[in-house]
């Protein structure tokens, strides 16, 4: 959801297939910051038309059950015969926005943005948001230019699995094969003031793998992570929230810095490290995130 | 060689210096997917003119001996006094194309392409192919724009040794110093529909080093590797072919996915991982590569 | 300082806050290749105006004491109210140039260059030099275009701490979170013929950490490193100078190559590695750096 600083706060973005109503109905019990009803890859081709027709009813159910967190629909890519019908159905329901897959360039973002503008002109309770999923080589190469294509775009997500399929590579545990693309997507997002949501972890039984991957994503600057199952949501929320130690250390670092400033010293040592504005800025961001973590939950 | 899907299949690209005729004559006994007669760095400056004059005769010998795999000539860079004479000699022989070194921008590709066009207009048995070797900082910075400079360009190769010399760095076993450039070259190649051929390994006695480097290259999306010696060819062919385990696992994954689709479930679990289209796409690519590996050899 | 090959040779760039005169006065006893009087982040906001007024006197002291190495001033960024007064004060003193922080695009370089041009037209003993510090996401995204914005620009420095704060990431010991940005900055610098100076290490008591980080920076192509304390200067000078082993090995490699060339063989094996021009070029660069290390010190 847009925060005071006008940035989306999504630590966890939980997907479920649009044709699995029994899974979708569990959303209100789950602690994700945002949810995605997936009309695309999660739903078999033969089920997509039927799933689309159920969409409005499912969204009504979720709103009645007071879903916390933002609600998105992943529509099919613009090259699919489903694309137009998906967008129409999604924007006919009371959702917060669209997640557009396989974004390859500015025109994909413009097309999505135009649909949101049209829906807003027909009247909406809340502003609509676009998340662009960058998961092809084309998308990565064009990522810098597409971030400014439409003002509805509020976040980029990076799809490492699709990216590696598209480039013809192989996934490894270490993940060096996507470091370039993953770094480029988060840099383009942040340069444009957008949020950045990191890749899924398909090893759904391996919590340690998820934690390690989330830690790397966070170090790169990502704000949250796409989740395939409810069990990954808690791990993502944890990885993308400040730890008690970080909060404590940030408070002490700021206090030490302010004390030094009062004595006319700008750079001081704190527990063996030099404190300068970058470190200080991170400490302040930790305290801000910690307070938002409580305030921003509906 | 161009495949049904119009992509070059080069797992191994074996170099030998143009002045070492005894090495060139062994090409027909070797199992590389493609071969390079090297008029540039492999041949001492003082020998290059003489080596160029032998070229036509050597190519005739290799064709008589029924060389399997594509045959390229590496000419000297456009800044060299040898460049024009090299290209004329190479295109006067029955080769499959040119490997152009030190490609720094679109103009280098255009110049090579124009030479191939002229040769084709004079009449050729087969279409001519260009491979661009990206091995300078300029080339890496301009790589995206040069991929579309001429339709003969069918592959980019990444020269890590020259790149590190040009940037003034140092080679390490881990290879993080070239990860950015190596990632950018393969991404630019694939975005333009070109094949991508990975860097050499100069530790010619260290097979384990070659295997590790090839595995990383493959995970990044490279299709094959440049080889300095025949012993590296088998390692490269092995690294860039699907393993029996991968083929077996891919067959079972596709079967499980199709069975689930028949039951209306798009995303299913297979051996602890979520199957979705990216994973499925990789499984299908494995089976396609496995069949091409047999069919495409001459 | 500009060398025969017109490239700045800065292995170590030592910072001290402009308000800490007792630290600045120690510069002449230290062995750094270049020094920075820091009017920006190292000096508390409330002390900056006073520190600026002391600047001229401090520079006079350092010149009297025959400071070896280049002398720079880090001014405040163009968005700061201090910016103009800082530049005027700095260029009123006998310094070698400016280090501009938070460079985000070509206009920041142009503004700095224009100030140097104006100062040179008023008459200077020596030419003035600009170092651009790339430490924001904007700067990294625009780095290629800003390198050619003004001919005074002689080096780019990469600020990893600020970059990670700006992108909202976290620092790790391994440093993968900045590999993309750090690689892009050095590539842009070298493509434009500029020197490249690597990030600080804030763990000021951990020499091993500094050595490892310097080794990675050197492998990436950086020429030197920013230093926060005198104890880091010796480590940086060591890391960015050729080792006795490298010098010895380079001499032997060149001798072997020349002997082989005399026998008409271009590529030869030397201690289990193939020698070709890239390896040879690195060997020659080692010997050149070794001789410059002695000759270029004032």
């Amino acid at each position: 959801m847009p925060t005071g600083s006008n940035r989306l706060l999504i630590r966890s973005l939980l997907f479920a297939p649009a044709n699995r109503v029994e899974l979708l109905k569990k959303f209100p019990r789950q602690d994700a910051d945002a949810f995605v009803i997936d009309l695309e890859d999660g739903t078999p081709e033969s089920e997509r038309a039927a799933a689309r027709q159920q969409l409005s009813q499912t969204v009504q159910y979720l709103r009645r059950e007071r879903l916390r967190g933002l609600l998105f629909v992943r529509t099919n890519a613009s090259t699919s015969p489903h694309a137009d019908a998906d967008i129409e159905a999604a924007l006919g329901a009371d959702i917060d926005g669209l997640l557009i897959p396989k974004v390859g360039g500015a025109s994909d973002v413009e097309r999505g943005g135009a649909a949101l503008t049209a829906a807003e002109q027909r009247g909406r309770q809340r502003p609509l948001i676009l998340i662009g999923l960058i998961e092809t080589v084309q998308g990565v190469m064009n990522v810098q230019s597409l971030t400014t294509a439409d003002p509805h775009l509020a976040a980029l997500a990076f799809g490492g699995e699709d990216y590696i399929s598209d480039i013809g590579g192989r996934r490894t545990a270490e993940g060096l094969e996507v470091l370039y693309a993953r770094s480029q997507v988060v840099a383009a997002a942040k340069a444009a003031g957008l949020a950045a949501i990191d890749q899924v972890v398909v090893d759904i039984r391996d919590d340690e793998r998820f934690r390690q991957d989330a830690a790397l994503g966070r170090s790169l600057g990502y704000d949250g992570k796409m989740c395939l199952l409810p069990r990954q949501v808690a791990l993502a929320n944890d990885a993308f929230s400040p730890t008690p130690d970080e909060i404590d250390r940030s408070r002490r670092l700021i206090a030490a810095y302010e004390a030094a400033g009062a004595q006319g010293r700008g750079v001081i040592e704190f527990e063996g490290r030099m404190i300068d504005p970058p470190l200080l800025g991170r400490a302040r961001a930790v305290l801000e995130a910690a307070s938002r973590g409580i305030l921003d939950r509906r």
Side-chain angles (χ1 to χ4, degrees), chain A residues 167-221:
Chain A
I167 205 169
R170 265 185 196 166
R171 292 302 259 152
T172 69
E174 206 182 4
L176 288 182
E177 69 280 2
V178 295
L179 185 62
Y180 167 85
R182 198 177 176 189
S183 300
Q184 188 151 304
V185 168
V186 66
K190 297 303 178 84
L194 309 180
I197 306 171
D198 200 16
Q199 65 188 3
V200 302
V201 170
V202 293
D203 298 292
I204 51 181
R205 306 266 173 235
D206 190 344
D207 291 354
E208 191 46 33
R209 174 81 180 270
F210 189 95
R211 280 193 199 95
Q212 287 175 8
D213 198 63
L216 179 52
R218 174 152 193 184
S219 73
L220 287 165

Side-chain angles (χ1 to χ4, degrees), chain A residues 91-141:
Chain A
L91 295 177
D94 181 22
I95 61 169
D96 294 290
L98 299 179
L99 187 146
I100 309 178
K102 297 179 180 59
V103 171
S107 63
D108 293 322
V109 175
E110 287 163 7
R111 195 174 300 114
L116 297 198
T117 300
E120 286 166 339
Q121 287 169 345
R122 290 191 300 267
R124 302 287 299 183
Q125 287 194 334
R126 56 196 111 199
L128 290 164
I129 292 168
L130 212 56
I131 302 177
L133 184 47
I134 309 295
E135 52 183 340
T136 63
V137 185
Q138 285 292 348
V140 169
M141 298 305 272

Side-chain angles (χ1 to χ4, degrees), chain A residues 43-63:
Chain A
T43 298
E45 177 62 35
S46 61
E47 300 284 313
R48 290 182 190 176
R52 187 163 58 225
Q53 295 190 326
Q54 294 173 312
L55 190 66
S56 172
Q57 203 174 341
T58 304
V59 172
Q60 283 174 34
Y61 173 86
L62 294 174
R63 292 300 184 197

